[in-house]
Every structure is written in C-alpha cells, then in structure tokens.
Amino acid sequence: GNLETTRNLTIGYFAQHQLEQIDPAISPVANLTRLAGDVPEQKLRDFLGGFAFSGHLATDPCARLSGGERARLVLAMIIWRAPNLLLLDEPTNHLDLEMRHALTVALQGFDGAVVTVSHDRHLLNKTVDDYWLVADGAVRPWRNGLAGYRDWVRQAGNAGKQQAASTAGSRKAERRRKATERERLKPLTDRIRKLTAEIEKMEARKQALAEELADPALYENGQADRLKRLLAEDGQIKSSLEDLEAQWVDAEHQLETLQRAAAD
C-alpha cells in the first residue's frame, strides 16, 4: 500500500529493545545530552524533571535505575525528539509490572497522538481513547470498548454453530447445548472474573503506595518504621500481582482452548 504523511509529522517508536540504547555508565542527563547536543544542562534537567528525574536520579549513573525508571528515561528520550505520533508495538511484552506502570503513567501525560497495538488490557484501559477493529479485510472504529470486543469475538466464534443449528431446525437443542456449554465454562469464566477483580484491586493499592512512597516527608527522621512497612507491602504486592497475572493468562488460555475445541 501507500503511506502519505504531512510535512510536519514526526514519529516516535517505543519497544522494549530500545532500553538497550541507554548507556548505564552515565547519567540520565548525559544520555539525553547525546541526543540534545549543545543544549544548556539546566534545560535538560528541567525536561527530565517532568519525568520524575530530579536530584541524584538525574545525575547518578543509569546502572542504578530500576526497570521502571529506565522505561521512563527511554520515553523521555523519545519525547525529547518531539514526536507528534507515538507508535507502540506490544510495548509491555516481557516488561515487569514496575515498567508497565511507568509506561502507563508516561502515556497518560503525553500530549501527542498514540497508536497502540497491545494485548495488555490494563494498559489499554488506562491510556486508550478510541479503539479500531481490524476484521474482514477492513479497519473501522470500534465503539464498544474491550468488553464489547470480547463479546464480539465470542459471538463470531458461535456464529457457525448457530447457523448449523438453525439449518437443522433444532433451536431448542441449540439452546440446550449453549446452556450446557456455559455451565461447563462457568467455573473458568468465574475464575477469570475473580482474578481480574483481584488484579484491579492490587493495581489500585500499588498506585496508592507509589504516591505514599513519593512523599518527601516519608524520608524524614522518625519515619523509618513506616517507610520499612510500606516498602515491604510494595514488594509483596508486586509479587502477588505477578502471580495473579500469570494465573489470569493461564485461565484465559484454557478458556480459549475450550472454546476453540467446542467450535470445532
């Protein structure tokens, strides 16, 4: 096909492999300087401050940064180039929870347009305004959100079975079959629904903890016990989220496998 762009279009592309572009031996300011060239350091510091890099975080070697902080730095370096279109191709693949959260927060504050291809429902729920459906050789706007898309996929999978039942004149038998199918899948769908609720609850608590840990007052004298407790809870939540998401992925895979088998 053909691609037509306007004269002022600037595209930024983010994927996990770009984390390798960061030089761990130098600071975030120094990494950005390599891109910015002859720009006053204070201007670079001010820019990085918008991505939560201030004080020692901006001047210490990047080797000391966490995974989430490195993801933020990559985004900052991309956005420094002032793209007005950001393309994200499965950006959370193989990223840990901290990095996924950092990416979500950065996208929420991005002023340009973003096109995302992702299976990460949390990322999509938190950052996407409009969905597009790619199906039947066409691309068209999708107004029904992720929940509606899931229903559409399931209905499309059942369309062939419904047509066969209608042709055979056995609507009653088809209803019985569907009821049996729903009953058979109910334990799995209930588990997925429960896991989704638990993940959302954990994500909310993790965000609240991040805000508490970002409070400068927490690092003053007399707050050591509270800081220790919050850090311990944060680590526990990260571990629990990883386990819950692994269970959710496994349950979704089981459900899709059973549905495909039923369709066949």
Side-chain angles (χ1 to χ4, degrees):
N2 297 320
L3 173 65
E4 297 182 10
T5 65
T6 64
R7 291 176 55 189
N8 296 324
L9 177 66
T10 303
I11 298 176
Y13 175 70
F14 177 83
Q16 185 192 12
H17 69 82
Q18 289 184 284
L19 296 177
E20 300 171 1
Q21 296 179 3
I22 297 175
D23 186 341
I26 61 177
S27 68
V29 172
N31 270 282
L32 185 57
T33 299
R34 290 182 174 179
L35 291 178
D38 190 19
V39 174
E41 181 176 322
Q42 187 57 52
K43 184 175 181 179
L44 300 181
R45 284 173 171 266
D46 292 342
F47 176 78
L48 288 173
F51 292 83
F53 289 101
S54 59
H56 69 88
L57 276 181
T59 56
D60 285 353
C62 288
R64 301 180 184 178
L65 297 179
S66 67
E69 289 164 344
R70 293 190 184 198
R72 283 208 312 274
L73 179 56
V74 167
L75 280 170
M77 293 168 67
I78 291 173
I79 292 174
W80 173 263
R81 300 186 178 98
N84 43 33
L85 173 60
L86 192 58
L87 302 179
L88 308 179
D89 183 8
E90 294 289 0
T92 58
N93 271 6
H94 311 300
L95 301 186
D96 61 28
L97 294 174
E98 183 183 11
M99 292 173 71
R100 288 163 58 185
H101 174 69
L103 176 61
T104 300
V105 172
L107 290 179
Q108 289 171 343
F110 181 62
D111 291 331
V114 181
V115 177
T116 306
V117 177
S118 177
H119 290 87
D120 188 327
R121 293 191 305 163
H122 177 73
L123 176 75
L124 297 176
N125 280 323
K126 295 295 185 181
T127 62
V128 172
D129 295 320
D130 302 301
Y131 294 93
W132 292 78
L133 178 66
V134 181
D136 303 323
V139 180
R140 61 183 184 272
W142 178 258
R143 309 298 184 190
N144 300 322
L146 292 180
Y149 175 71
R150 171 173 291 182
D151 293 339
W152 178 84
V153 170
R154 290 176 177 173
Q155 290 171 7
N158 290 329
K161 293 180 290 182
Q162 292 172 349
Q163 183 178 5
S166 177
T167 302
S170 182
R171 294 182 179 178
K172 185 175 181 179
E174 177 65 10
R175 286 195 296 269
R176 286 199 300 266
R177 188 196 62 77
K178 285 184 178 180
T180 300
E181 181 72 7
R182 286 195 298 269
E183 190 64 26
R184 186 170 70 95
L185 297 179
K186 188 175 185 301
L188 201 50
T189 56
D190 286 347
R191 182 165 178 252
I192 290 172
R193 189 178 302 109
K194 181 179 179 182
L195 285 169
T196 300
E198 291 179 2
I199 288 172
E200 291 175 350
K201 182 179 178 181
M202 284 280 188
E203 289 281 6
R205 179 53 186 157
K206 187 175 185 300
Q207 176 62 29
L209 278 172
E211 294 174 359
E212 290 188 67
L213 289 168
D215 183 3
L218 181 62
Y219 302 91
E220 297 177 356
N221 292 334
Q223 296 292 319
D225 290 342
R226 180 176 171 233
L227 175 59
K228 183 178 180 180
R229 176 178 58 80
L230 291 177
L231 289 173
E233 184 181 359
D234 185 58
Q236 183 179 10
I237 284 179
K238 288 179 181 178
S239 177
S240 298
L241 270 172
E242 290 177 357
D243 180 60
L244 286 170
E245 291 194 340
Q247 293 182 51
W248 181 88
V249 169
D250 181 63
E252 281 281 357
H253 178 70
Q254 291 181 46
L255 181 61
E256 291 174 4
T257 301
L258 289 174
Q259 289 174 332
R260 284 198 299 268
D264 295 336

